[in-house]
Amino acid sequence: MSADLQTPPAAAPDDAAGRPDRSTGAWSLTWAGVRTVATLELRQRVRSTRWVVALVVFAVVVGAVTTLTFLASSSASATMSDDGVSVGRTMFGFIVFFVLFLGLLVSPTLSATSINGDRAAGTLATLQVTLLSPAEIVLGKLLAAWVASLAFLAVSVPFVVWAFAAGGTPVVGLLTTLLLLAVVLAVVCAVGLGFSALVNRGAGSAVLTYVTVAGLCVVTLVVFGLSMFLVSGDEEVQVNQLPWSSDLQFDDFGNPIGDVECELVTQERYVAHTERTWWLLAPNPFVVVADALPGGDIQTASDPMTLIRYGVRSARVGVQEPLEECWNAGDWEERQAEQMERVESSGAVWPWGLATLVLLGAGGVVVAVRRLTIPQATLPRGMRVA
């Protein structure tokens, strides 16, 4: 045999089989792979008649609530002397919160059984043995669930625009609100997908997803309220108040008679340092959406979004010294406006909450990709592979 002839090296088992190395390629991504999985998921949903019925029912419920809100707002506007700005913002805030509430109820059902449902039906393994990476499978399912949730948001957009047309809300506020609603729905879908890969049964993953949503919306408020006693106590603070004396006289409306100036005194008061616990409210989806809405005069506001924004930012600022208790003085409204301006300029809360929600959704995606990686070292008892 000639010395020039050499034996070719043996091909690696993975190369010979034409399969990618799943231990190193779990996060390899291509748009074609993600689109393929998303298309398969969406075709299954479109063929289902329940999907169409759910969209119709969603649109009817939102439309009915919007109509009732419009009638109530019109009745209130007829008895008010303002220009209707407050009524328009109230209607907009109520409809946006209602759409967000329904979206948080629907979104978990779109992804919480996506992976464990396919595993139970024996169709997940068909995707895993293809050239699709675990990341492509997970992101494809996430994209499909998000598009499905956006379909519910899309049917409610005309009613949100109707509320916007009532006045009081800037165009940038409408666009920001719709964008944040879409992001929140994507986060819920990602969390549901993570639980779907982590839990064997679809009912269990759906319950865990709803518990997480309830934790963000309700438990954050409860924990913030219960933690108040941890950051509250008696301490000496400065108080701006009227110089009470026996010579001080008031008119029939409770205003002091004559030229009376307030005095600054130091007293012991029970105060709450909410600047230490405001972050508990930041991940709440309703807080994120409300705080990001620009505009609105807090001195005359009655809409829920402006009130929530001011309340959360007040909690972030904490105690403002001196405490204003000189209510009857002539410059009370001016001093109150100055305090409100300090609260408004203290900084937005919604970027912190949005970052927390995005990290939570990213965690769900990471968990799902790791659970779909082949070979899987450990599986829960009773969970099937194929």
Side-chain angles (χ1 to χ4, degrees), residues 211-231:
V211 168
T212 302
V213 172
L216 292 173
C217 298
V218 179
V219 178
T220 52
L221 300 177
V222 174
V223 174
F224 176 79
L226 294 178
S227 65
M228 291 289 288
F229 78 95
L230 298 176
V231 295

Side-chain angles (χ1 to χ4, degrees), residues 101-122:
F101 170 72
L102 291 183
L104 293 176
L105 289 180
V106 172
S107 295
T109 64
L110 302 175
S111 63
T113 60
S114 180
I115 293 178
N116 51 20
D118 286 355
R119 180 179 284 119

Side-chain angles (χ1 to χ4, degrees), residues 7-20:
T7 303
D14 282 345
D15 294 336
R19 294 188 300 269

Side-chain angles (χ1 to χ4, degrees), residues 350-363:
W350 69 267
W352 300 95
L354 182 62
T356 304
L357 293 177
V358 171
L359 288 177
L360 184 62

Side-chain angles (χ1 to χ4, degrees), residues 3-285:
D4 296 335
L5 298 178
Q6 298 180 359
T7 303
D14 282 345
D15 294 336
R19 294 188 300 269
D21 185 1
R22 295 301 185 187
S23 62
T24 59
W27 287 97
S28 61
L29 281 174
T30 62
W31 169 243
V34 175
R35 182 183 58 188
T36 299
V37 178
T39 302
L40 291 174
E41 291 282 320
L42 289 174
R43 285 178 178 175
Q44 293 178 359
R45 298 181 189 277
V46 171
R47 287 197 298 262
S48 175
T49 56
R50 291 179 299 177
W51 164 255
V52 179
V53 173
L55 281 176
V56 173
V57 171
F58 190 92
V60 169
V61 172
V62 176
V65 172
T66 305
T67 303
L68 292 176
T69 305
F70 174 75
L71 295 176
S73 301
S74 301
S75 177
S77 179
T79 60
M80 297 175 63
S81 59
D82 61 3
D83 56 359
V85 172
S86 178
V87 175
R89 288 184 66 90
T90 301
M91 179 179 176
F92 181 81
F94 184 79
I95 297 303
V96 167
F97 279 169
F98 186 72
V99 171
L100 177 59
F101 170 72
L102 291 183
L104 293 176
L105 289 180
V106 172
S107 295
T109 64
L110 302 175
S111 63
T113 60
S114 180
I115 293 178
N116 51 20
D118 286 355
R119 180 179 284 119
T123 58
L124 180 62
T126 304
L127 293 176
Q128 291 179 290
V129 298
T130 63
L131 296 179
L132 294 170
S133 68
E136 290 171 339
I137 297 175
V138 170
L139 292 181
K141 288 180 174 292
L142 175 60
L143 178 60
W146 187 38
V147 171
S149 65
L150 290 181
F152 287 93
L153 179 60
V155 299
S156 63
V157 165
F159 306 106
V160 175
V161 173
W162 183 7
F164 162 77
T169 305
V171 177
V172 65
L174 173 64
L175 300 178
T176 302
T177 300
L178 293 177
L179 179 61
L180 287 178
L181 287 177
V183 173
V184 170
L185 295 181
V187 169
V188 175
C189 291
V191 171
L193 202 63
F195 283 126
S196 178
L198 193 62
V199 180
N200 187 21
R201 297 185 179 276
S205 58
V207 169
L208 289 175
T209 306
Y210 278 114
V211 168
T212 302
V213 172
L216 292 173
C217 298
V218 179
V219 178
T220 52
L221 300 177
V222 174
V223 174
F224 176 79
L226 294 178
S227 65
M228 291 289 288
F229 78 95
L230 298 176
V231 295
S232 303
D234 295 326
E235 59 183 71
E236 291 186 349
V237 295
Q238 290 186 325
V239 183
N240 193 32
Q241 63 180 16
L242 288 171
W244 298 102
S245 65
S246 58
D247 299 331
L248 192 63
Q249 298 180 354
F250 298 89
D251 57 19
D252 296 336
F253 299 97
N255 298 318
I257 300 176
D259 188 10
V260 180
E261 294 184 0
C262 296
E263 62 179 7
L264 197 63
V265 298
T266 300
Q267 296 181 351
E268 186 175 273
R269 294 295 179 87
Y270 186 82
V271 297
H273 289 279
T274 54
E275 70 274 9
R276 303 171 186 172
T277 56
W278 66 271
W279 52 271
L280 292 170
L281 299 174
N284 191 302

Side-chain angles (χ1 to χ4, degrees), residues 273-331:
H273 289 279
T274 54
E275 70 274 9
R276 303 171 186 172
T277 56
W278 66 271
W279 52 271
L280 292 170
L281 299 174
N284 191 302
F286 293 91
V287 171
V288 172
V289 174
D291 187 64
L293 181 66
D297 186 3
I298 186 58
Q299 298 187 65
T300 60
S302 60
D303 62 291
M305 300 183 77
T306 302
L307 294 176
I308 290 176
R309 185 182 76 246
Y310 182 77
V312 174
R313 295 191 182 188
S314 297
R316 183 180 182 181
V317 172
V319 181
Q320 294 191 73
E321 293 192 41
L323 301 180
E324 290 292 348
E325 295 184 356
C326 194
W327 304 294
N328 301 75
D331 60 343

